[in-house]
């Protein structure tokens, strides 16, 4: 069976509470549930992982190398500065799609930079929770 990992970085556990005008009122749990259900309908088994810790996220990406056929990844603020996570994505032979709930290119200047450019095969931004479902499609289309 095809297996994907849905991975969320720092502060995304605060969805629902965190800046709802930007990120919406939905919790990460409800988003994860929807993505898992959507995957199941398409014959994809999806595991979810969230961490606020860079090292744990790096370890999970390394594990993904042998465990998963694709990764859906919202790196949160790590997007803008974590070369260690960029290198972890580049280290594994698994396609990774970068997802952002908000439109990072139309916010503060520092959010316009993604250190994942060139190592993720696609980027989906500004589509809210729907973006995670689009990422499932993008991995399947690939
Ligand atoms: C985010 C955008 C990032 O700039 C921010 O640091 C986040 C969430 C998004 O989903 O829109 O934590 O990745």
């Amino acid at each position: 069976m095809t297996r994907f990992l849905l991975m969320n970085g720092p502060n995304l556990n605060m969805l629902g509470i965190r800046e709802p005008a930007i990120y919406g009122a939905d919790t990460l749990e409800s988003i994860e549930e929807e993505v898992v259900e959507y995957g199941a309908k398409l014959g994809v088994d999806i595991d979810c992982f969230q961490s606020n810790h860079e090292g744990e996220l790096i370890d999970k990406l390394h594990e993904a190398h042998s465990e998963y056929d694709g990764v859906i990844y919202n790196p949160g603020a790590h997007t803008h500065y974590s070369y260690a996570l960029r290198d972890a994505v580049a280290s594994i032979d698994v396609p990774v799609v970068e997802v952002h709930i908000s439109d990072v290119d139309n916010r503060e200047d520092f959010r316009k930079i993604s250190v994942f450019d060139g190592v993720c095969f696609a980027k989906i931004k500004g589509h809210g929770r729907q973006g995670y479902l689009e990422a499932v499609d993008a991995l399947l289309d690939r």
Side-chain angles (χ1 to χ4, degrees), residues 10-12 18 23 74-77 79-80 99-104 107 110-111 132:
N11 300 307
L12 290 156
R18 175 189 185 196
Y23 299 113
N74 184 345
T79 307
H80 315 300
V99 175
H100 299 286
I101 294 167
S102 66
D103 183 359
V104 279
R107 296 181 60 195
F110 76 88
R111 293 186 205 276
Y132 289 101

Side-chain angles (χ1 to χ4, degrees), residues 26-123:
D26 302 330
T27 62
L28 180 61
E29 201 182 9
S30 83
I31 293 171
E32 287 175 342
E33 265 174 32
E34 188 183 15
V35 177
V36 169
E37 271 173 31
Y38 185 70
K41 279 189 207 139
L42 298 170
V44 185
D45 193 19
I46 302 181
D47 290 338
C48 303
F49 180 75
Q50 187 277 333
S51 176
N52 295 318
H53 305 282
E54 191 177 48
E56 285 183 4
L57 292 156
I58 292 169
D59 289 344
K60 196 70 185 174
L61 284 167
H62 292 173
E63 275 174 40
H65 177 64
S66 47
E67 296 264 322
Y68 296 102
D69 303 295
V71 178
I72 297 155
Y73 184 22
N74 184 345
H78 283 148
T79 307
H80 315 300
Y81 68 89
S82 177
Y83 298 117
L85 277 161
R86 179 202 158 95
D87 284 353
V89 169
S91 302
I92 59 171
D93 192 15
V94 178
V96 180
V97 52
E98 178 182 344
V99 175
H100 299 286
I101 294 167
S102 66
D103 183 359
V104 279
D105 290 321
N106 283 301
R107 296 181 60 195
E108 302 95 326
D109 280 350
F110 76 88
R111 293 186 205 276
K112 293 180 182 151
I113 292 166
S114 173
V115 301
F116 294 91
D117 283 354
V119 293
C120 290
F121 80 92
K123 173 157 52 177

